[in-house]
Amino acid sequence: MSDAVSREKKSPTAVTYLRVPLLLVTAMLTMGSGMGNPGCGSGDDKDDDDIGPERCESGCAISGAYVFRFQDATPLSADCGLLGVSLPEGERVVVVQKGSEVDITATLGELQLTGSHYGSTTKHIVLRAIVQLQRREGPPTELLYLIEGQFTEGPESVDAPASFSGTFNANHVNTVAGDPECRVVRRFTATR
């Protein structure tokens, strides 16, 4: 007798009765594993990122427009100018945060940035963007922008003064011989 014939003779109610205990055993075994009930953990551990989206608890009101001021505002190289990279001295980066989520978006002129902010006692902010540049011949190259900073104090309201300091990075990657080369790393303070 083949398996196909023997499966046809089984009652569908028997399969249903076997499914329920199996589901209960699976549920009991997965409790505390991040699937279902979080179990004994308090959820405060940094390693517990499978419980749900990260949330900021205090000092999180970072939305707003921050004006850049650089320690070294000397002009960038001619190659950076050819690629359209300039130092955003006096320009504003506009940070948008949704509620207490740590994922954020921002704009710097026409540059669209994404990133996050994190940390319990000191708040860090990381913003990044990739811009594709089309050469006259060959595949496109990329400009990578990275803004990393640390808040002097996590702002408790969007009306409170706030500032963060860090580094502004712009790097031209995937270049070939003859392409302009631009690598920028400058210290800044951004104030709301």
Short mmCIF file of all heavy atoms in Angstrom, two decimals, residues 109-151:
data_model
loop_
_atom_site.label_atom_id
_atom_site.label_comp_id
_atom_site.label_asym_id
_atom_site.label_seq_id
_atom_site.Cartn_x
_atom_site.Cartn_y
_atom_site.Cartn_z
N GLY A 109 20.72 70.50 2.41
CA GLY A 109 20.50 71.00 1.07
C GLY A 109 19.62 70.00 0.34
O GLY A 109 18.55 69.66 0.80
N GLU A 110 20.09 69.49 -0.80
CA GLU A 110 19.33 68.49 -1.55
C GLU A 110 19.74 67.07 -1.21
O GLU A 110 19.19 66.11 -1.76
CB GLU A 110 19.49 68.75 -3.05
CG GLU A 110 18.86 70.06 -3.47
CD GLU A 110 18.78 70.22 -4.97
OE1 GLU A 110 18.94 69.22 -5.69
OE2 GLU A 110 18.56 71.36 -5.39
N LEU A 111 20.69 66.92 -0.32
CA LEU A 111 21.18 65.61 0.08
C LEU A 111 20.21 64.97 1.08
O LEU A 111 19.90 65.55 2.12
CB LEU A 111 22.56 65.76 0.71
CG LEU A 111 23.35 64.50 1.02
CD1 LEU A 111 23.65 63.72 -0.26
CD2 LEU A 111 24.64 64.87 1.73
N GLN A 112 19.71 63.77 0.75
CA GLN A 112 18.81 63.03 1.63
C GLN A 112 19.63 62.06 2.46
O GLN A 112 20.33 61.22 1.91
CB GLN A 112 17.78 62.26 0.80
CG GLN A 112 16.93 63.13 -0.10
CD GLN A 112 16.04 64.07 0.68
OE1 GLN A 112 15.39 63.66 1.64
NE2 GLN A 112 16.02 65.33 0.28
N LEU A 113 19.54 62.16 3.78
CA LEU A 113 20.32 61.33 4.69
C LEU A 113 19.40 60.43 5.50
O LEU A 113 18.26 60.79 5.79
CB LEU A 113 21.13 62.21 5.65
CG LEU A 113 22.10 63.20 5.01
CD1 LEU A 113 22.18 64.47 5.80
CD2 LEU A 113 23.47 62.56 4.89
N THR A 114 19.91 59.26 5.87
CA THR A 114 19.20 58.37 6.79
C THR A 114 20.18 58.01 7.90
O THR A 114 21.39 58.09 7.72
CB THR A 114 18.71 57.09 6.11
OG1 THR A 114 19.83 56.40 5.56
CG2 THR A 114 17.69 57.39 5.04
N GLY A 115 19.65 57.58 9.03
CA GLY A 115 20.55 57.20 10.11
C GLY A 115 19.81 56.86 11.37
O GLY A 115 18.64 56.48 11.35
N SER A 116 20.52 57.03 12.49
CA SER A 116 19.94 56.69 13.79
C SER A 116 20.64 57.48 14.87
O SER A 116 21.68 58.08 14.66
CB SER A 116 20.08 55.18 14.05
OG SER A 116 21.45 54.82 14.05
N HIS A 117 20.03 57.46 16.04
CA HIS A 117 20.70 58.01 17.22
C HIS A 117 20.55 56.97 18.32
O HIS A 117 19.59 56.21 18.36
CB HIS A 117 20.14 59.38 17.62
CG HIS A 117 18.74 59.37 18.15
ND1 HIS A 117 18.44 59.57 19.45
CD2 HIS A 117 17.57 59.17 17.52
CE1 HIS A 117 17.14 59.50 19.63
NE2 HIS A 117 16.59 59.27 18.46
N TYR A 118 21.54 56.89 19.18
CA TYR A 118 21.58 55.82 20.16
C TYR A 118 22.41 56.24 21.36
O TYR A 118 23.09 57.26 21.34
CB TYR A 118 22.16 54.54 19.53
CG TYR A 118 23.55 54.74 18.96
CD1 TYR A 118 24.68 54.48 19.73
CD2 TYR A 118 23.73 55.22 17.67
CE1 TYR A 118 25.95 54.70 19.22
CE2 TYR A 118 24.99 55.43 17.15
CZ TYR A 118 26.10 55.16 17.93
OH TYR A 118 27.35 55.38 17.43
N GLY A 119 22.39 55.42 22.38
CA GLY A 119 23.17 55.66 23.59
C GLY A 119 22.27 56.01 24.75
O GLY A 119 21.23 56.63 24.58
N SER A 120 22.67 55.61 25.95
CA SER A 120 21.84 55.87 27.12
C SER A 120 22.24 57.16 27.83
O SER A 120 21.43 58.03 28.05
CB SER A 120 21.88 54.68 28.08
OG SER A 120 23.23 54.37 28.38
N THR A 121 23.51 57.31 28.19
CA THR A 121 23.92 58.53 28.89
C THR A 121 24.36 59.61 27.92
O THR A 121 24.02 60.78 28.08
CB THR A 121 25.06 58.24 29.88
OG1 THR A 121 26.13 57.59 29.18
CG2 THR A 121 24.59 57.35 31.01
N THR A 122 25.11 59.26 26.88
CA THR A 122 25.46 60.23 25.84
C THR A 122 24.77 59.78 24.56
O THR A 122 24.76 58.61 24.23
CB THR A 122 26.98 60.28 25.61
OG1 THR A 122 27.45 58.98 25.28
CG2 THR A 122 27.71 60.79 26.84
N LYS A 123 24.16 60.72 23.89
CA LYS A 123 23.43 60.42 22.67
C LYS A 123 24.32 60.63 21.45
O LYS A 123 24.93 61.68 21.28
CB LYS A 123 22.20 61.32 22.55
CG LYS A 123 21.19 61.14 23.65
CD LYS A 123 20.51 59.81 23.54
CE LYS A 123 19.46 59.68 24.64
NZ LYS A 123 19.03 58.33 24.82
N HIS A 124 24.40 59.61 20.61
CA HIS A 124 25.18 59.66 19.39
C HIS A 124 24.22 59.77 18.21
O HIS A 124 23.10 59.27 18.27
CB HIS A 124 26.05 58.41 19.24
CG HIS A 124 27.06 58.26 20.33
ND1 HIS A 124 28.31 58.82 20.26
CD2 HIS A 124 26.99 57.64 21.53
CE1 HIS A 124 28.97 58.55 21.37
NE2 HIS A 124 28.20 57.83 22.15
N ILE A 125 24.70 60.37 17.14
CA ILE A 125 23.91 60.49 15.93
C ILE A 125 24.79 60.09 14.75
O ILE A 125 25.97 60.44 14.70
CB ILE A 125 23.35 61.92 15.76
CG1 ILE A 125 22.43 62.00 14.54
CG2 ILE A 125 24.44 62.96 15.70
CD1 ILE A 125 21.64 63.31 14.45
N VAL A 126 24.22 59.31 13.84
CA VAL A 126 24.92 58.88 12.64
C VAL A 126 23.98 59.10 11.46
O VAL A 126 22.84 58.62 11.48
CB VAL A 126 25.32 57.38 12.71
CG1 VAL A 126 25.96 56.94 11.41
CG2 VAL A 126 26.23 57.11 13.88
N LEU A 127 24.45 59.85 10.45
CA LEU A 127 23.68 60.10 9.24
C LEU A 127 24.54 59.73 8.04
O LEU A 127 25.73 60.00 8.04
CB LEU A 127 23.28 61.58 9.14
CG LEU A 127 22.38 62.10 10.25
CD1 LEU A 127 22.31 63.62 10.21
CD2 LEU A 127 20.98 61.51 10.11
N ARG A 128 23.92 59.13 7.01
CA ARG A 128 24.71 58.73 5.84
C ARG A 128 23.87 58.86 4.57
O ARG A 128 22.65 58.83 4.61
CB ARG A 128 25.23 57.32 6.01
CG ARG A 128 24.20 56.26 6.19
CD ARG A 128 24.81 54.97 6.74
NE ARG A 128 23.89 54.22 7.55
CZ ARG A 128 23.60 54.44 8.82
NH1 ARG A 128 24.15 55.43 9.44
NH2 ARG A 128 22.76 53.69 9.47
N ALA A 129 24.61 59.02 3.46
CA ALA A 129 23.96 59.10 2.15
C ALA A 129 24.95 58.62 1.10
O ALA A 129 26.16 58.73 1.28
CB ALA A 129 23.53 60.53 1.84
N ILE A 130 24.43 58.07 0.02
CA ILE A 130 25.23 57.65 -1.12
C ILE A 130 24.66 58.35 -2.35
O ILE A 130 23.45 58.28 -2.61
CB ILE A 130 25.18 56.12 -1.33
CG1 ILE A 130 25.75 55.40 -0.11
CG2 ILE A 130 25.93 55.74 -2.59
CD1 ILE A 130 25.61 53.89 -0.16
N VAL A 131 25.52 59.04 -3.07
CA VAL A 131 25.11 59.76 -4.27
C VAL A 131 25.85 59.15 -5.46
O VAL A 131 27.08 59.03 -5.43
CB VAL A 131 25.45 61.27 -4.16
CG1 VAL A 131 25.10 61.99 -5.45
CG2 VAL A 131 24.73 61.88 -2.97
N GLN A 132 25.12 58.73 -6.47
CA GLN A 132 25.76 58.17 -7.66
C GLN A 132 26.12 59.29 -8.63
O GLN A 132 25.33 60.20 -8.86
CB GLN A 132 24.83 57.17 -8.36
CG GLN A 132 24.81 55.84 -7.68
CD GLN A 132 24.34 54.74 -8.61
OE1 GLN A 132 23.70 54.98 -9.61
NE2 GLN A 132 24.67 53.51 -8.26
N LEU A 133 27.33 59.19 -9.18
CA LEU A 133 27.82 60.14 -10.16
C LEU A 133 28.06 59.41 -11.46
O LEU A 133 28.72 58.37 -11.47
CB LEU A 133 29.14 60.77 -9.69
CG LEU A 133 29.12 61.47 -8.34
CD1 LEU A 133 30.53 61.86 -7.92
CD2 LEU A 133 28.24 62.71 -8.41
N GLN A 134 27.52 59.93 -12.54
CA GLN A 134 27.71 59.28 -13.83
C GLN A 134 28.90 59.93 -14.54
O GLN A 134 28.91 61.12 -14.78
CB GLN A 134 26.46 59.41 -14.69
CG GLN A 134 26.56 58.73 -16.03
CD GLN A 134 26.74 57.22 -15.90
OE1 GLN A 134 25.98 56.56 -15.21
NE2 GLN A 134 27.75 56.68 -16.56
N ARG A 135 29.90 59.11 -14.84
CA ARG A 135 31.04 59.60 -15.63
C ARG A 135 30.63 59.65 -17.09
O ARG A 135 29.64 59.03 -17.50
CB ARG A 135 32.23 58.67 -15.45
CG ARG A 135 32.75 58.63 -14.03
CD ARG A 135 34.09 57.93 -13.98
NE ARG A 135 34.04 56.56 -14.48
CZ ARG A 135 34.21 55.50 -13.74
NH1 ARG A 135 34.45 55.62 -12.47
NH2 ARG A 135 34.16 54.30 -14.26
N ARG A 136 31.42 60.36 -17.88
CA ARG A 136 31.12 60.42 -19.32
C ARG A 136 31.20 59.03 -19.93
O ARG A 136 30.43 58.67 -20.79
CB ARG A 136 32.10 61.36 -20.01
CG ARG A 136 31.86 62.79 -19.64
CD ARG A 136 32.76 63.72 -20.41
NE ARG A 136 32.65 65.04 -19.83
CZ ARG A 136 33.60 65.92 -19.85
NH1 ARG A 136 34.75 65.65 -20.43
NH2 ARG A 136 33.43 67.09 -19.31
N GLU A 137 32.19 58.25 -19.49
CA GLU A 137 32.33 56.88 -19.98
C GLU A 137 32.44 55.96 -18.77
O GLU A 137 33.00 56.32 -17.75
CB GLU A 137 33.59 56.74 -20.83
CG GLU A 137 33.57 57.59 -22.09
CD GLU A 137 34.89 57.51 -22.84
OE1 GLU A 137 35.74 56.67 -22.49
OE2 GLU A 137 35.07 58.30 -23.77
N GLY A 138 31.93 54.77 -18.89
CA GLY A 138 32.07 53.79 -17.83
C GLY A 138 30.94 53.83 -16.82
O GLY A 138 30.02 54.63 -16.92
N PRO A 139 31.03 52.92 -15.85
CA PRO A 139 29.97 52.82 -14.85
C PRO A 139 30.00 54.02 -13.89
O PRO A 139 31.00 54.72 -13.79
CB PRO A 139 30.33 51.52 -14.10
CG PRO A 139 31.80 51.37 -14.30
CD PRO A 139 32.11 51.96 -15.64
N PRO A 140 28.89 54.24 -13.19
CA PRO A 140 28.86 55.37 -12.26
C PRO A 140 29.80 55.15 -11.07
O PRO A 140 30.15 54.01 -10.74
CB PRO A 140 27.40 55.42 -11.79
CG PRO A 140 26.85 54.06 -12.07
CD PRO A 140 27.65 53.50 -13.20
N THR A 141 30.23 56.24 -10.48
CA THR A 141 30.99 56.18 -9.24
C THR A 141 30.07 56.69 -8.13
O THR A 141 28.93 57.10 -8.40
CB THR A 141 32.26 57.05 -9.32
OG1 THR A 141 31.88 58.40 -9.55
CG2 THR A 141 33.18 56.58 -10.42
N GLU A 142 30.54 56.65 -6.90
CA GLU A 142 29.69 57.06 -5.79
C GLU A 142 30.42 58.04 -4.88
O GLU A 142 31.63 57.96 -4.70
CB GLU A 142 29.28 55.84 -4.96
CG GLU A 142 28.39 54.88 -5.70
CD GLU A 142 28.06 53.65 -4.88
OE1 GLU A 142 28.86 53.27 -4.01
OE2 GLU A 142 26.99 53.07 -5.13
N LEU A 143 29.63 58.92 -4.29
CA LEU A 143 30.10 59.78 -3.21
C LEU A 143 29.42 59.27 -1.95
O LEU A 143 28.19 59.14 -1.91
CB LEU A 143 29.67 61.23 -3.43
CG LEU A 143 30.58 62.10 -4.25
CD1 LEU A 143 29.91 63.43 -4.54
CD2 LEU A 143 31.90 62.33 -3.55
N LEU A 144 30.20 58.94 -0.95
CA LEU A 144 29.66 58.48 0.33
C LEU A 144 29.78 59.62 1.33
O LEU A 144 30.87 60.15 1.54
CB LEU A 144 30.44 57.27 0.84
CG LEU A 144 30.50 56.05 -0.06
CD1 LEU A 144 31.37 54.98 0.56
CD2 LEU A 144 29.11 55.51 -0.32
N TYR A 145 28.67 59.98 1.93
CA TYR A 145 28.64 61.00 2.98
C TYR A 145 28.36 60.32 4.30
O TYR A 145 27.47 59.47 4.39
CB TYR A 145 27.56 62.03 2.72
CG TYR A 145 27.82 62.95 1.56
CD1 TYR A 145 27.37 62.64 0.28
CD2 TYR A 145 28.51 64.14 1.74
CE1 TYR A 145 27.60 63.49 -0.79
CE2 TYR A 145 28.75 65.00 0.68
CZ TYR A 145 28.29 64.68 -0.58
OH TYR A 145 28.52 65.52 -1.64
N LEU A 146 29.10 60.70 5.33
CA LEU A 146 28.89 60.15 6.67
C LEU A 146 29.06 61.28 7.68
O LEU A 146 30.11 61.93 7.71
CB LEU A 146 29.87 59.02 6.95
CG LEU A 146 29.78 58.35 8.32
CD1 LEU A 146 28.44 57.66 8.50
CD2 LEU A 146 30.91 57.37 8.52
N ILE A 147 28.04 61.50 8.47
CA ILE A 147 28.07 62.51 9.53
C ILE A 147 27.89 61.76 10.84
O ILE A 147 26.87 61.12 11.06
CB ILE A 147 26.96 63.55 9.35
CG1 ILE A 147 27.16 64.30 8.03
CG2 ILE A 147 26.91 64.51 10.53
CD1 ILE A 147 25.98 65.17 7.62
N GLU A 148 28.90 61.83 11.70
CA GLU A 148 28.84 61.16 13.00
C GLU A 148 29.06 62.19 14.08
O GLU A 148 29.97 63.01 13.98
CB GLU A 148 29.92 60.09 13.11
CG GLU A 148 29.76 58.95 12.14
CD GLU A 148 30.88 57.93 12.28
OE1 GLU A 148 32.00 58.23 11.81
OE2 GLU A 148 30.62 56.88 12.88
N GLY A 149 28.23 62.16 15.11
CA GLY A 149 28.38 63.14 16.18
C GLY A 149 27.85 62.65 17.51
O GLY A 149 27.26 61.58 17.60
N GLN A 150 28.07 63.48 18.51
CA GLN A 150 27.62 63.17 19.86
C GLN A 150 27.01 64.44 20.45
O GLN A 150 27.59 65.52 20.36
CB GLN A 150 28.80 62.72 20.71
CG GLN A 150 28.43 62.36 22.13
CD GLN A 150 29.64 61.82 22.88
OE1 GLN A 150 30.54 61.25 22.31
NE2 GLN A 150 29.63 62.00 24.19
N PHE A 151 25.82 64.31 21.02
CA PHE A 151 25.15 65.44 21.65
C PHE A 151 25.84 65.79 22.96
O PHE A 151 26.25 64.90 23.71
CB PHE A 151 23.68 65.12 21.92
CG PHE A 151 22.81 65.23 20.71
CD1 PHE A 151 22.63 64.14 19.87
CD2 PHE A 151 22.20 66.43 20.39
CE1 PHE A 151 21.84 64.24 18.74
CE2 PHE A 151 21.41 66.54 19.26
CZ PHE A 151 21.23 65.44 18.43
#
